[in-house]
Amino acid sequence: MEIDEAREVRTTCPYCGVGCGVLAKIATDGQVSVRGDPDHPANFGRLCSKGSALAETIGLDGRLLHPQIHDHGSSWDKALDLVASTFCQTIAEHGPDAVAFYVSGQLLTEDYYLANKLMKGFVGSANIDTNSRLCMASSVAGHRRAFGSDTVPGTYEDMELSDLIVLVGSNLAWCHPVLYQRIAAAREKRPEMKVVLVDPRRTVTSDIADMHLAIAPDGDVALFTGLLAWLGQHNALDRAYITAHTSGFGQALFAASALNLAGVAAATGLSEDELGRFYSLFARTEKTVTVYSQGVNQSSQGTDKVNAIINCHLATGRIGKPGAGPFSVTGQPNAMGGREVGGMANMLAAHMEIENPEHRERVQRFWNAPAIAGKPGLKAVDMFKAVADGRIKALWIMATNPVDSMPDAGAVEAAIKACPFVVVSDVLAETDTVRHAHVRLPATAWGEKDGTVTNSERRISRQRAFLPVPGEARPDWWIIAEVARRMGFDGAFAHETPAEIFAEHAALSAFENDGERDFDIGAYAGVEDYDALAPFQWPGPSPGTPLTPTGHQSIRFFANGNFYTPDRKARFIPIRPTVETRITSDFPLILNTGRIRDHWHTMTRTGKSPRLSQHIAEPLVEIHPVDAQRHGIGDADIARVSTPRGEVLVRALVTTRQRRGSLFAPMHWTDQFAARARLDTLTASLTDPVSGQPALKHVAASIEKFTARTFGFAVTRKRPTTMAADYWAVARCRGGWRVELAFANDDVDWTAFAGSLFDTEDAEVLAYHDREAGQHRIAAFDGEHLTGALFIAPGPVAVSRGWAAEQLGEVHASQRQRFRIVAGRAGAGRPDAGATVCSCFNVGVNQITAAAAAGCTTVDAIGAALKAGTNCGSCRSEIRAIIAANQVQAAE
């Protein structure tokens, strides 16, 4: 594709809830590059490793580009008619609750709005829930209990203005790196700022922490309930704020006072000294921000954790003020936008309540809808149970992959496979969920989509299209509207642009809103130039006020009370901590699940990027050395992790960063990328009783070594489709794919196996076999280019992965060059970068080690020499560890 003139488009990153602005530049030859938008108030030009690699993820390989019915190509008309008629027939025969939508924080607000309008106002059921249920439902529930509304009080700026940041259950350095960078930069300017990390693991975020509280799983309720009691005992309360703006303080303090310091220590696994130092620091620091994320939310006690934190901020009046407040950071780019449109089964649009008959009547009247859902629908876990038992007979899944991301994912997959009618809207032709769809609808992807998203600080930004729409892909809002029209709801879904949908959404937010609701962007309902809409934070200007971009303005709630409860006072929630023991003799360890630095959700986007796939290229489990020794696990062994629901095979990483008695494993790997690594097949469908959010951080598990007789590593230009190996994991690399392998036996025809990985039939093949030693090396060449190489050994293969992968892009004109590949090592004068440390600039461990040995003794010096650590900063902790190891070695 060629264009007459290069152009640059302002858009928004599609990853986490930070909501970074991105400048996408399209060159005259069609090549795309990205950089951070220096004028966007979320990131001021910064991007993390994932955002920096966005241009590597927009290729059309693997895309779903045409509608399909039962694995066969179809026209849009036939596919949409089938979806509409099947949903109508199911509703007619079984009622509106026999159908359901499962949607996503990857949708834009306009998509989300129409999906909720169709289901709640026209189908008449609230059976629409979202994968945001898995990441921030407990924050929503805690906000609503305390504030009467789902309101995030503060802003990102508060983190920079604070004197104390308490990070709870948040590996900010890897999961929200730009916020981590903003905090790190603020600390450099004000070294007196303190940071406390509350996390069972010593994550890389601890690099900026003055205090790390290695708390026991689910100990957060006791920690913050004990803090409330401490504040009361040490006269560290804001009595004036409590009296003027809150209710229920006495009951909450009484409940907290039942827990003494020794009890908190027992429940948290922390010492009384650690607790005393943290409590004293919190009590004396007026400007305190408590940032919390999935370690708080993904718990059977998640809502109580949120309210225990909020109680402490209400008790000290530290809310809605510059540098002070509780702050929930969301995991998805539009989890907040989904909350604004009533994206979950127990919400209505515009932050109205589905349980409130006046709100239901108001929304129905605004929509001129034939019906309105009269009660909350099924939350995600219960929704898929209803699919399994036949109550839900038609299911539409949009922009998400529940076969991998839902708890008890094996049961979820079985439910979807058994469902009479499943529709999936997605951008990829193959995912673990798409493969079970009766109808597959091709949706537009980032770069092709047009609409808005809302970040964690309530800032609405435009996501703009800058790529042509490929094939027959269509925007999600268009697909929803077309189905709605075919169901007979033509007039209400006559939208022709996302701007029209946004205007309706904004108008609903202001409809009969006299200040009783927090969410009001009515001033933007009449925006004439939607495409030029600048980032703004809600609530925006009052209706009638001339619209100007709010830009860097920070809007806070609740500094002077005015909550959204009936009496306009915040509610303290009495919390009584309980300690749950889930481990047993058969499952003696606690499994904690989460994310890693360079991958995202189920890798449908990041798995396309060569650089993002090199830092951690296969599924893993972290285990403490003491536990590893007890269970016979060595570093880099393949481990079998089991729970009562299933087992996975993952690579072991033995590290003192992990808490004893606990395991950590990332949730990203799917059947598309590994043999047996769908982590959420291990997790239970246990949920918080208030929010319905699953407890994905606290799972009883066991671990044992998987005994392999043979190990392998391969690089190949084409992606392998089937592999007869007990363990395998594939990862993108430049020019092709890299593959890790392990086999329970050594009785394998390695020549034939190599042929199954890469083309050998018409290739020139070089091979080395030492059957007695169990060593086999096979390389195939198409002319001067490497088609693939396979290395087999009785132990872990001693070949540099980075060097081997680079050979796919090299020219191998001489036999000497080709034999080097078979030998598995670079020649003289060809330095090996080693395993990737800095994904932003593709800098390897060997390069950093060499620079450190040459005199670069600080992270900044390494950055000056190699650029490593100078972009997103997420690798700075690893760089520091490499420097330290080099200094120790030099001193020996």
Side-chain angles (χ1 to χ4, degrees):
M1 179 187 75
E2 291 194 4
I3 57 177
D4 294 334
E5 187 177 351
R7 59 194 177 95
E8 198 164 52
V9 176
R10 293 184 187 276
T11 186
T12 310
C13 182
Y15 287 119
C16 75
V18 175
C20 295
V22 173
L23 292 174
K25 185 176 182 178
I26 306 92
T28 54
D29 63 357
Q31 293 296 307
V32 175
S33 59
V34 300
R35 63 187 178 98
D37 183 350
D39 296 324
H40 197 289
N43 59 315
F44 299 107
R46 299 178 178 93
L47 284 180
C48 72
S49 60
K50 293 185 287 291
S52 298
L54 275 167
E56 296 183 7
T57 70
I58 58 177
L60 298 184
D61 54 308
R63 284 290 298 272
L64 177 64
L65 296 176
H66 305 281
Q68 296 178 357
I69 299 176
H70 297 295
D71 297 326
H72 300 293
S74 169
S75 69
W76 267 111
D77 280 337
K78 287 182 180 179
L80 293 169
D81 285 345
L82 178 60
V83 173
S85 62
T86 304
F87 271 77
C88 285
Q89 182 179 351
T90 303
I91 293 165
E93 293 178 2
H94 304 285
D97 287 338
V99 301
F101 294 174
Y102 186 63
V103 297
S104 166
Q106 300 292 298
L107 293 176
L108 302 186
T109 299
E110 292 75 8
D111 309 322
Y112 243 137
Y113 178 84
L114 284 196
N116 276 275
K117 180 179 180 180
L118 174 57
M119 180 56 80
K120 288 172 179 164
F122 290 79
V123 171
S125 170
N127 278 351
I128 175 169
D129 211 44
T130 167
N131 61 10
S132 297
R133 177 73 61 187
L134 311 181
C135 73
M136 32 53 64
S138 291
S139 287
V140 173
H143 290 160
R144 292 178 69 177
R145 287 206 300 189
F147 308 147
S149 61
D150 176 24
T151 309
V152 174
T155 72
Y156 295 161
E157 183 184 48
D158 292 326
M159 300 182 198
E160 296 164 318
L161 297 176
S162 67
D163 294 322
L164 170 62
I165 297 178
V166 185
L167 298 170
V168 190
S170 170
N171 185 7
L172 210 67
W174 277 18
C175 299
H176 299 93
V178 168
L179 292 184
Y180 175 83
Q181 293 173 53
R182 289 183 63 167
I183 293 170
R187 260 195 113 203
E188 286 186 12
K189 294 177 182 176
R190 293 192 300 114
E192 66 274 15
M193 177 194 288
K194 301 297 182 184
V195 177
V196 175
L197 175 66
V198 183
D199 197 307
R201 301 165 61 217
R202 187 170 180 82
T203 64
V204 292
T205 302
S206 66
D207 203 40
I208 62 167
D210 299 279
M211 184 186 304
H212 172 219
L213 301 179
I215 196 167
D218 281 337
D220 315 80
V221 179
L223 178 68
F224 285 94
T225 303
L227 174 56
L228 181 63
W230 175 280
L231 295 170
Q233 294 162 2
H234 292 78
N235 195 29
L237 303 170
D238 187 334
R239 296 283 184 182
Y241 190 92
I242 292 169
T243 301
H245 302 304
T246 73
S247 64
F249 173 71
Q251 297 94 314
L253 185 62
F254 178 79
S257 298
L259 193 65
N260 60 25
L261 203 60
V264 176
T268 60
L270 303 172
S271 69
E272 292 187 32
D273 178 65
E274 287 177 302
L275 291 169
R277 287 189 288 116
F278 169 54
Y279 287 174
S280 295
L281 180 61
F282 189 102
R284 68 174 182 264
T285 310
E286 184 66 24
K287 288 188 174 183
T288 297
V289 175
T290 303
V291 179
Y292 57 93
S293 192
Q294 305 315 325
V296 167
N297 295 330
Q298 290 180 336
S299 167
S300 60
Q301 306 171 30
T303 307
D304 279 354
K305 290 184 183 184
V306 171
N307 285 117
I309 291 168
I310 291 173
N311 281 350
C312 295
H313 280 270
L314 292 174
T316 53
R318 298 173 188 169
I319 188 166
K321 300 174 182 177
F327 201 107
S328 161
V329 287
T330 54
Q332 293 195 86
N334 205 29
M336 186 72 80
R339 289 148 77 168
E340 294 162 3
V341 300
M344 294 196 286
N346 56 323
M347 304 168 72
L348 275 181
H351 282 201
M352 283 183 269
E353 300 169 359
I354 202 166
E355 304 91 344
N356 187 320
E358 292 182 9
H359 288 184
R360 294 199 302 270
E361 186 277 333
R362 183 181 300 149
V363 174
Q364 183 177 7
R365 181 157 40 88
F366 179 87
W367 281 340
N368 192 24
I372 195 75
K375 65 181 188 302
L378 294 172
K379 299 168 185 173
V381 170
D382 290 333
M383 177 183 288
F384 284 101
K385 288 180 178 178
V387 173
D389 65 26
R391 284 174 289 157
I392 291 175
K393 303 178 185 300
L395 174 67
W396 189 351
I397 299 168
M398 304 179 196
T400 187
N401 196 5
V403 166
D404 294 311
S405 57
M406 284 290 295
D408 200 1
V412 169
E413 181 174 32
I416 292 173
K417 289 171 68 175
C419 186
F421 189 66
V422 176
V423 182
V424 177
S425 306
D426 210 310
V427 300
L428 290 185
E430 294 184 19
T431 73
D432 292 350
T433 298
V434 166
R435 63 189 177 190
H436 301 305
H438 300 98
V439 179
R440 301 170 184 175
L441 304 176
T444 49
W446 181 81
E448 305 154 9
K449 298 171 69 128
D450 194 40
T452 58
V453 291
T454 308
N455 73 359
S456 295
E457 64 167 353
R458 296 174 276 105
R459 195 174 298 277
I460 296 174
S461 299
R462 288 280 279 108
Q463 205 177 92
R464 295 178 175 88
F466 57 87
L467 295 171
V469 174
E472 293 183 274
R474 295 292 183 269
D476 289 282
W477 67 263
W478 182 91
I479 300 170
I480 296 162
E482 285 295 321
V483 169
R485 292 169 187 167
R486 285 165 167 77
M487 292 178 72
F489 308 128
D490 304 61
F493 294 87
H495 313 83
E496 295 185 359
T497 66
E500 294 176 13
I501 305 168
F502 179 81
E504 181 179 318
H505 161 57
L508 176 55
S509 75
F511 184 59
E512 296 181 1
N513 187 356
D514 58 1
E516 65 162 318
R517 306 194 305 274
D518 61 340
F519 180 64
D520 184 347
I521 59 169
Y524 291 85
V527 170
E528 294 182 3
D529 195 352
Y530 173 78
D531 191 57
L533 188 66
F536 71 95
Q537 198 173 28
W538 64 259
S542 302
T545 303
L547 287 179
T548 57
T550 57
H552 301 180
Q553 180 183 357
S554 293
I555 300 172
R556 300 176 176 85
F557 283 89
F558 310 142
N560 298 308
N562 201 30
F563 293 89
Y564 293 95
T565 56
D567 62 1
R568 307 298 278 188
K569 292 187 174 185
R571 294 180 290 235
F572 279 92
I573 305 299
I575 305 293
R576 292 175 175 80
T578 58
V579 178
E580 295 188 59
T581 302
R582 295 181 186 163
I583 60 173
T584 65
S585 57
D586 290 332
F587 301 99
L589 300 168
I590 294 298
L591 172 64
N592 174 10
T593 71
R595 294 173 176 164
I596 58 174
R597 188 186 78 189
D598 292 347
H599 277 309
W600 170 254
H601 283 200
T602 60
M603 293 167 62
T604 52
R605 182 181 290 116
T606 54
K608 289 181 149 193
S609 167
R611 78 168 110 158
L612 294 180
S613 299
Q614 300 312 300
H615 179 238
I616 297 176
E618 57 185 318
L620 75 148
V621 61
E622 290 185 4
I623 183 170
H624 190 276
V626 172
D627 293 321
Q629 184 177 31
R630 179 178 298 126
H631 295 278
I633 305 293
D635 199 27
D637 278 349
I638 296 170
R640 179 185 284 110
V641 180
S642 305
T643 74
R645 284 154 295 283
E647 62 182 43
V648 296
L649 295 180
V650 291
R651 189 76 67 177
L653 173 61
V654 180
T655 172
T656 55
R657 285 183 173 271
Q658 183 56 258
R659 177 186 171 88
R660 288 180 61 176
S662 293
L663 307 171
F664 170 81
M667 49 75 72
H668 308 291
W669 274 265
T670 70
D671 286 350
Q672 311 296 311
F673 289 93
R676 295 159 63 187
R678 286 171 52 212
L679 194 72
D680 277 317
T681 58
L682 305 187
T683 57
S685 56
L686 177 67
T687 61
D688 177 281
V690 180
S691 70
Q693 182 158 355
L696 300 176
K697 299 284 186 184
H698 189 168
V699 182
S702 64
I703 190 169
E704 62 181 346
K705 180 179 178 178
F706 172 76
T707 302
R709 293 177 61 88
T710 310
F711 296 82
F713 173 74
V715 292
T716 171
R717 267 199 255 166
K718 71 172 185 177
R719 179 170 182 165
T721 52
T722 58
M723 281 170 278
D726 298 283
Y727 172 90
W728 59 262
V730 299
R732 254 296 188 191
C733 63
R734 297 199 182 279
W737 300 84
R738 51 182 283 188
V739 189
E740 296 289 345
L741 299 154
F743 305 81
N745 62 70
D746 54 7
D747 185 20
V748 178
D749 182 338
W750 297 115
T751 301
F753 186 83
S756 71
L757 289 180
F758 44 82
D759 294 326
T760 58
E761 186 174 345
D762 297 319
E764 178 189 351
V765 178
L766 297 180
Y768 167 82
H769 299 283
D770 184 342
R771 289 174 175 79
E772 185 174 338
Q775 299 274 356
H776 304 268
R777 298 168 192 164
I778 302 168
F781 298 87
D782 178 9
E784 296 181 342
H785 297 281
L786 178 67
T787 297
L790 172 66
F791 306 89
I792 298 295
V797 177
V799 170
S800 168
R801 271 58 175 164
W803 170 83
E806 286 175 2
Q807 304 316 300
L808 292 170
E810 298 285 332
V811 174
H812 305 281
S814 70
Q815 285 293 99
R816 177 177 293 183
Q817 290 172 315
R818 299 180 186 196
F819 277 116
R820 282 177 185 156
I821 295 176
V822 177
R825 59 180 179 270
R830 298 175 61 89
D832 174 17
T836 299
V837 174
C838 175
S839 296
C840 296
F841 295 108
N842 291 311
V843 181
V845 61
N846 293 346
Q847 292 170 287
I848 297 170
T849 300
C856 295
T857 58
T858 67
V859 175
D860 289 339
I862 293 290
L866 302 173
K867 291 189 176 181
T870 61
N871 183 46
C872 81
S874 299
C875 62
R876 291 174 68 87
S877 179
E878 289 177 79
I879 295 171
R880 188 172 288 108
I882 294 168
I883 294 170
N886 179 77
Q887 290 171 337
V888 169
Q889 185 175 4
E892 290 178 349

